[in-house]
Amino acid sequence: MMMKRTTLFACAALAAISFTAPAMADDAGEIKYRKSVMKSIGGHMGSIAGIFKAETGNQTNLAVHTQGMAALATITGSVFPKGSDFGETGALPVIWEKPDDFAKAVKMFESAAANMNAAAMSGDMAAAGAAFGELGKSCKNCHENFREKKK
């Protein structure tokens, strides 16, 4: 009987946690998380570029990097929540001022990352190379329109 109560309590606690909306951490935490996600995207992008430039013997890892990029693309929009538009960040205010424009740019990135992944998974390096070019354009679009220029 005690085991059933303990199990029931544990299930109820997990359900409560699962259905509770996540609380937004402090602004600094959100910005730190966003920077980490963006650094991960940059890491995959750099690795993919290195593979296409034949700077590495790890060509067989292309699909791993494109899968990671495609997965990260799906969360990119969520790493710019309201309230994280100030502090130590390179994100421009236009992200929050024109959310529809930013959403279109994120959608472009998601689509390009998914296409890049599909091309890499097919094994067709010519198609993957073309898709990589489109992925680069989607990154450039955000960097030019939604990111502070590096000095």
Side-chain angles (χ1 to χ4, degrees):
M1 183 69 143
M2 183 64 156
M3 180 71 152
K4 283 185 179 180
R5 251 188 241 163
T6 303
T7 303
L8 183 60
F9 177 76
C11 289
L14 283 173
I17 291 168
S18 298
F19 295 113
T20 304
M24 188 162 117
D26 66 7
D27 297 326
E30 289 299 327
I31 292 168
K32 183 177 179 182
Y33 176 72
R34 174 169 56 235
K35 286 179 178 181
S36 293
V37 170
M38 292 298 136
K39 187 177 263 189
S40 296
I41 289 170
H44 284 299
M45 196 67 170
S47 296
I48 294 167
I51 289 169
F52 278 111
K53 292 177 183 177
E55 296 172 344
T56 176
N58 292 298
Q59 285 76 13
T60 58
N61 294 338
L62 178 63
V64 172
H65 291 292
T66 62
Q67 288 169 352
M69 182 70 82
L72 288 167
T74 66
I75 67 166
T76 299
S78 72
V79 301
F80 295 88
K82 287 183 181 183
S84 69
D85 57 340
F86 56 89
E88 197 173 318
T89 178
L92 292 174
V94 70
I95 291 170
W96 297 274
E97 293 165 357
K98 296 184 178 182
D100 292 340
D101 291 349
F102 183 63
K104 286 178 190 171
V106 170
K107 191 69 178 158
M108 180 181 174
F109 173 52
E110 288 175 351
S111 178
N115 290 340
M116 174 74 216
N117 186 47
M121 298 298 283
S122 77
D124 182 343
M125 288 304 280
F132 182 60
E134 292 303 310
L135 179 60
K137 287 178 188 177
S138 74
C139 293
K140 183 178 181 182
N141 176 50
C142 268
H143 285 217
E144 287 182 348
N145 297 300
F146 303 101
R147 182 180 180 196
E148 191 175 280
K149 306 292 183 254
K150 293 202 175 193
K151 297 171 188 166

